[in-house]
Amino acid sequence: MVTAAETIIDKARSQGRTVLTEIESKELIREAGISVVETRLAISREEAISISKELGLPVVLKIASPDVVHKSDAGGVKIGLRTATQVGKAYGEILKAIKQKYPQAVVDGVSVQKMARPGVEVIIGMSKDAQFGPVLMFGLGGILVEVLKDVSFRIVPLARRDAAEMIREIKGYPLLEGYRGQEPVDVANLEELLLKVSDFVERNPGIKELDLNPVFAYSDGAVAVDARVVLEELS
Ligand code: ADP
Ligand code: MG
């Protein structure tokens, strides 16, 4: 039986791509039982508006292009859009910004997604080490990972104990326990999420890199709002 995951991977390969789009990446990881923000592709301003109404406002719009990896750096992300007018305007602004910054980029359209409620931003990544094979990374999102490199690593496959340890050993762990009156994050759910990613990576050796950046963690679960999957080159 051909799984939906295989269909997505085959499509990218047939187009000579190893980098999956945000929409493809989210579909893949959703199949692995990981919750992702509902995300759809719009290829016109009108479609962006109608999708935003179907999903329910507020929404987020993002550039959908295999050539734009860091979407917000390029002016390709607009969050907190509350009205159809704002959605229409954001659609135009995103395409304009990308055209300026990446005139050669192939643009699929613009992704429209539900605006996730605020949570603690964490990141989960997988990369392959020449010696150890797939390795998972966990950290808090934003500057904590970029500047302070406050992250932990474990080799795939993870045991439950590994998942529990890698969350607790980052310096920023107190932020997950509830900081200054913030609600504590559901850490058991994050452990489960790491185990699901580990399983998914084990079952799909054709995946070279995976990034869920960020995942919004809540007191009652977690949801990935951005995803990027890179496939192994076929030799
Ligand atoms: P980039 O390609 O720059 O990593 P992201 O998709 O991660 O783009 O979006 C940038 C930031 O916008 C995220 O770190 C997050 O804070 C916010 N964001 C993205 N998508 C959503 C969403 N669906 N709901 C709420 N906030 C979002
Ligand atoms: Mg991101």
Side-chain angles (χ1 to χ4, degrees), residues 72 119-124 137-151 170 175 211-216 225-226:
S72 45
V120 180
E121 293 197 19
V122 304
I123 76 171
I124 296 172
M137 185 196 78
F138 174 80
L140 293 175
I143 59 160
L144 286 163
V145 67
E146 284 159 23
V147 182
L148 302 177
K149 311 266 186 270
D150 181 22
V151 293
I170 59 167
L175 293 171
D211 265 301
L212 306 181
N213 182 10
V215 170
F216 283 11
V225 307
D226 186 25

Side-chain angles (χ1 to χ4, degrees), residues 95-146:
L95 291 186
K96 191 172 164 217
I98 296 304
K99 205 167 197 156
Q100 266 174 14
K101 189 136 190 205
Y102 298 100
Q104 313 292 344
V106 173
V107 173
D108 296 338
V110 168
S111 79
V112 183
Q113 53 199 266
K114 290 275 283 186
M115 176 84 185
R117 69 193 149 99
V120 180
E121 293 197 19
V122 304
I123 76 171
I124 296 172
M126 182 280 286
S127 57
K128 286 186 173 166
D129 180 88
Q131 216 168 348
F132 301 115
V135 173
L136 285 202
M137 185 196 78
F138 174 80
L140 293 175
I143 59 160
L144 286 163
V145 67
E146 284 159 23

Side-chain angles (χ1 to χ4, degrees), residues 9-214:
I9 291 173
D10 287 350
K11 183 186 159 205
R13 292 238 189 255
S14 74
Q15 296 176 353
R17 287 186 288 125
T18 54
V19 179
L20 302 190
T21 64
E22 181 194 5
I23 293 180
E24 291 168 335
S25 302
K26 280 178 169 170
E27 268 177 56
L28 261 193
I29 63 158
R30 192 174 52 183
E31 260 217 74
I34 294 164
S35 61
V36 301
V37 164
E38 194 175 350
T39 304
R40 290 202 233 152
L41 182 71
I43 59 168
S44 70
R45 186 186 297 257
E46 293 67 37
E47 197 181 12
I49 292 171
S50 69
I51 293 172
S52 73
K53 287 176 180 163
E54 283 165 33
L55 294 178
L57 293 152
V59 295
V60 174
L61 260 56
K62 298 182 194 173
I63 187 66
S65 161
D67 300 321
V68 182
V69 174
H70 301 291
K71 300 177 290 295
S72 45
D73 290 354
V77 177
K78 301 274 178 194
I79 68 170
L81 307 170
R82 304 191 169 278
T83 64
T85 312
Q86 285 178 358
V87 170
K89 188 162 165 262
Y91 186 91
E93 285 171 356
I94 287 174
L95 291 186
K96 191 172 164 217
I98 296 304
K99 205 167 197 156
Q100 266 174 14
K101 189 136 190 205
Y102 298 100
Q104 313 292 344
V106 173
V107 173
D108 296 338
V110 168
S111 79
V112 183
Q113 53 199 266
K114 290 275 283 186
M115 176 84 185
R117 69 193 149 99
V120 180
E121 293 197 19
V122 304
I123 76 171
I124 296 172
M126 182 280 286
S127 57
K128 286 186 173 166
D129 180 88
Q131 216 168 348
F132 301 115
V135 173
L136 285 202
M137 185 196 78
F138 174 80
L140 293 175
I143 59 160
L144 286 163
V145 67
E146 284 159 23
V147 182
L148 302 177
K149 311 266 186 270
D150 181 22
V151 293
S152 58
F153 295 91
R154 285 294 183 284
I155 297 169
V156 170
L158 262 65
R160 181 167 290 276
R161 190 196 169 102
D162 295 319
E165 286 173 357
M166 72 189 291
I167 294 171
R168 285 165 182 82
E169 75 190 30
I170 59 167
K171 291 194 191 72
Y173 180 65
L175 293 171
L176 297 174
E177 286 183 297
Y179 183 69
R180 298 217 169 147
Q182 294 258 0
E183 261 193 317
V185 156
D186 183 350
V187 173
N189 180 276
L190 282 182
E191 291 174 14
E192 209 57 55
L193 178 49
L194 286 166
L195 291 172
K196 281 180 185 167
V197 174
S198 171
D199 265 6
F200 174 67
V201 164
E202 237 194 323
R203 279 186 284 111
N204 293 278
I207 295 179
K208 185 179 176 211
E209 274 171 53
L210 180 152
D211 265 301
L212 306 181
N213 182 10

